[in-house]
Amino acid sequence: MRKTVIAGNWKMHMTCASAKEFMETFLPLSKDLPLDRRVIIAPPFTAISSLATILEGTHINLSSQNVHWEDSGAFTAEISPSMLLEHNVRYAIVGHSEPRKYFSESDEQINLRAKSAQTHGLIPIVCVGESLEQRERGEAERVIRRQVEQGLEQTDLSNLVIAYEPIWAIGTGKTCEANEANRICGLIRQWAGFNDLLIQYGGSVKPGNIDEIMSMSDIDGVLVGGASLEPQNFARIANYQAR
Ligand code: 13P
C-alpha cells in the first residue's frame, strides 16, 4: 500500500512571523491525521530554521524548494544538502515549472539535484508537467515522458516522489480533470517502471476538489501552492476524505 504525501509549496511567500502564525492555527487542525498520511511544508529558505524549531516533535516534515548538487562552492543563490540537513529538512522540491521557466532549469540539472538529494539522505520531489501549448499540440505525453526519463535517471525510485503539475493548472484555478490527471499519473508510473512510485498531482488543488483528486487510483498525494498558504484550507486538504 503506497503512502499518501500531502505537500504545501509556499513558493516566495511567508516571513518567519507569518509562518509561526500559520502553524499556531494549522497544527491543532492537523493533529489527528491517519498515520499513513505524510504532511510536508516547503517554506522559503529564510523560514526553515524557525519552522524546524516549531515543528520539532510534530508529524509535519520540512522540504526545501531547491537543492544543489555540490556540497559547497561558488554557487551564488543556491543551497546545499548539508545546509538543509542541519535544519531537519527531509524533502527537496526539484524541477518545479517556475525555475524551469524563469531560470531555464534543464532536465539534466534537475536530475543532478535529485541524485544529490538522495545521496545526502533527502527525498526529492521531482516536478514534471506540460504547458498549455504543448497539450494543445498533442505533445503532453512526449514532454512528460522525457522529463520523467531524464529527471529520474539513476535515481532510487523507492526514495523519491514525482509531482505531476500541468503548467496550465498552476495558480490559474483551472484544475486538471481528475480522470485525466489520474491517466497521466498512471502513465508516469508505467514509464518509470516502478509500481510503488509515489505520485502527486499539483495545480489549483483546493478544499473543494481534494476529495475527488484523492479518490483516484494512481494519485498518491498533492503538491499545493496557493491553498497551502491559508491554514484552514491546507488543514482541510490534509484531512481529505477519500471517496
Ligand atoms: P497552485 O496550487 O497555486 O496552483 O500551485 C501549484 C504548485 O505550483 C505547487 O507546486
Side-chain angles (χ1 to χ4, degrees):
M1 185 75 174
R2 297 189 298 266
K3 282 196 178 347
T4 300
V5 191
I6 307 286
N9 175 9
W10 282 356
K11 307 190 180 184
M12 199 172 70
H13 296 281
M14 297 277 199
T15 59
C16 292
S18 49
K20 180 171 182 278
E21 215 174 289
F22 176 99
M23 287 303 166
E24 279 163 8
T25 307
F26 179 73
L27 288 176
L29 292 175
S30 61
K31 68 177 185 345
D32 295 324
L33 293 175
L35 290 175
D36 64 340
R37 281 183 205 186
R38 282 191 242 166
V39 178
I40 303 165
I41 291 283
F45 295 134
T46 47
I48 284 182
S49 173
S50 50
L51 277 178
T53 308
I54 293 169
L55 296 179
E56 213 178 313
T58 73
H59 52 291
I60 311 295
N61 295 286
L62 275 175
S63 172
S64 65
Q65 296 179 18
N66 194 13
V67 65
H68 199 262
W69 51 88
E70 295 289 345
D71 210 40
S72 62
F75 300 102
T76 301
E78 291 283 338
I79 192 103
S80 82
S82 58
M83 293 169 184
L84 297 170
L85 290 166
E86 195 179 27
H87 296 288
N88 292 333
V89 173
R90 295 213 42 219
Y91 293 82
I93 296 175
V94 301
H96 192 277
S97 63
E98 287 149 14
R100 281 184 194 263
K101 177 175 160 195
Y102 298 125
F103 306 115
S104 308
E105 282 260 304
S106 67
D107 287 316
E108 289 72 22
Q109 287 169 317
I110 290 157
N111 178 247
L112 285 173
R113 294 185 193 283
K115 285 191 295 196
S116 153
Q118 288 192 330
T119 305
H120 289 85
L122 291 163
I123 300 173
I125 301 177
V126 183
C127 305
V128 299
E130 80 287 2
S131 66
L132 185 58
E133 298 72 42
Q134 289 164 333
R135 177 160 279 262
E136 285 175 349
R137 286 199 298 263
E139 295 171 1
E141 290 179 22
R142 188 178 57 77
V143 167
I144 301 163
R145 184 170 189 164
R146 190 204 65 226
Q147 293 172 339
V148 168
E149 288 177 352
Q150 294 186 4
L152 302 190
E153 209 177 296
Q154 293 179 347
T155 58
D156 170 7
L157 298 179
S158 65
N159 197 26
L160 175 146
V161 180
I162 277 266
Y164 168 54
E165 297 205 304
I167 298 170
W168 47 272
I170 295 179
T172 58
K174 275 192 244 166
T175 320
C176 180
E177 212 260 308
N179 283 318
E180 173 59 7
N182 192 50
R183 185 183 75 82
I184 299 283
C185 291
L187 285 173
I188 292 173
R189 193 179 307 288
Q190 201 179 301
W191 295 327
F194 181 56
N195 202 42
D196 288 339
L197 183 64
L198 291 175
I199 308 180
Q200 297 176 309
Y201 165 77
S204 298
V205 174
K206 41 193 177 252
N209 58 26
I210 184 67
D211 297 342
E212 185 187 14
I213 292 168
M214 289 311 300
S215 66
M216 295 288 133
S217 58
D218 272 304
I219 299 181
D220 307 313
V222 284
L223 183 55
V224 188
S228 72
L229 296 170
E230 210 283 312
Q232 279 90 357
N233 282 345
F234 194 53
R236 170 64 185 86
I237 289 169
N239 283 289
Y240 74 86
Q241 313 280 319
R243 291 183 193 156

